[in-house]
Amino acid sequence: IEYKKHYYPKSRTQLLTVLKNSLSLKRYQHLLGVEQAALRLAKLNHEELEKASVAALVHDYAKERTTTEFKKVILEKGLEHDLLNWNNVIWHGVVGAQIIKDELKITDEEILNAVRKHTVGAADMTRLDKIIYVADFIEKGRTFPDAKLARTVAYADLDSAVSFETKHTLQYLMSANKVIYPAAILTYNKWVVEN
Ligand code: GDP
Ligand code: FE
Ligand code: FE
Ligand code: FE
């Protein structure tokens, strides 16, 4: 896929070079897997392929940054103070979007929002938000027991996949006595609870 609309200022090939040089091989391969899944979901759901590609390729760009760096960005950019109480799992999306904006010069708010929401989702998700949230869960490197079922659901119906993933994640967090980020509960209430 050739970048024509410049959601990223340079070519896809140049973006891949930046990613390869700044991340571990494991993370780089995950980004390529998420891009492949996101492009397939974008075709099925009539989303712009270039947006899906850029969002997928950068969604975990900040995942390998240190606690110190995230705290510095939160303070310097005036992000909400409550974020200081969380950790890399939550920061790499919400705070990572700011790092992506500053370092990669990506300014499209739809792409940045998809990155912000990719870990815990949200009650309101755009088509692009859903594609990145789901592609991250089903990419070919994911090997958890329900991954195959998640792929089948995702390629049949995107909203059902958001629901499936949210339920799976919340069930896992509760079974392991993990802290739940409040926004994850809002995602659950919107996408899993039946009214
Ligand atoms: P990755 O960055 O590609 O690994 O994928 P994600 O950004 O989706 O992060 C996935 C991890 O976040 C999984 O281990 C989830 O269990 C965890 N996670 C998602 N929501 C929450 C939450 O509300 N609380 C905690 N503690 N972990 C969460
Ligand atoms: Fe992530
Ligand atoms: Fe995810
Ligand atoms: Fe990811």
Side-chain angles (χ1 to χ4, degrees):
I1 148 165
E2 193 195 330
Y3 288 176
K4 299 194 175 118
K5 303 194 83 177
H6 302 289
Y7 294 117
Y8 176 67
K10 298 175 187 169
S11 69
R12 177 177 173 280
T13 308
Q14 284 168 299
L15 177 54
L16 292 182
T17 302
V18 170
L19 297 172
K20 195 156 209 268
N21 289 334
S22 48
L23 297 167
S24 65
L25 182 59
K26 179 189 87 160
R27 192 83 49 207
Y28 178 71
Q29 285 169 343
H30 168 64
L31 296 176
L32 291 177
V34 175
E35 186 200 33
Q36 185 183 60
L39 286 172
R40 186 165 165 192
L41 291 170
K43 283 174 195 152
L44 288 167
N45 295 281
H46 312 287
E47 179 56 87
E48 207 183 312
L49 299 185
E50 188 171 331
K51 269 196 168 176
S53 167
V54 174
L57 287 177
V58 304
H59 83 281
D60 279 337
Y61 176 70
K63 182 121 181 180
E64 295 171 357
R65 302 301 169 99
T66 62
T67 297
T68 310
E69 177 168 1
F70 279 118
K71 288 189 170 172
K72 183 167 174 270
V73 174
I74 292 164
L75 294 172
E76 284 185 356
K77 300 288 171 174
L79 304 183
E80 44 173 335
H81 213 262
D82 172 68
L83 282 167
L84 292 170
N85 300 315
W86 295 86
N87 55 39
N88 177 285
V89 170
I90 301 303
W91 291 332
H92 82 278
V94 182
V95 184
Q98 182 69 49
I99 295 172
I100 288 163
K101 188 176 187 173
D102 293 340
E103 294 183 10
L104 301 179
K105 309 298 175 201
I106 290 168
T107 57
D108 185 88
E109 279 296 322
E110 273 195 73
I111 291 174
L112 296 173
N113 276 329
V115 173
R116 289 184 182 109
K117 295 179 192 179
H118 88 266
T119 304
V120 299
D124 278 318
M125 283 196 268
T126 64
R127 185 172 51 184
L128 185 69
D129 294 337
K130 294 174 195 171
I131 286 170
I132 300 306
Y133 181 72
V134 170
D136 187 29
F137 192 64
I138 66 166
E139 64 100 354
K140 62 182 180 345
R142 300 292 194 199
T143 56
F144 57 90
D146 278 337
K148 281 182 78 172
L149 176 57
R151 284 178 198 116
T152 304
V153 173
Y155 296 129
D157 183 69
L158 186 60
D159 283 6
S160 299
V162 171
S163 176
F164 183 91
E165 171 176 349
T166 302
K167 183 171 178 171
H168 187 280
T169 301
L170 271 279
Q171 281 178 338
Y172 158 72
L173 293 170
M174 295 201 66
S175 70
N177 296 336
K178 301 264 192 200
V179 63
I180 297 175
Y181 191 62
I185 297 180
L186 300 181
T187 307
Y188 170 84
N189 287 345
K190 166 69 188 259
W191 293 96
V192 182
V193 172
E194 295 190 32
N195 293 296

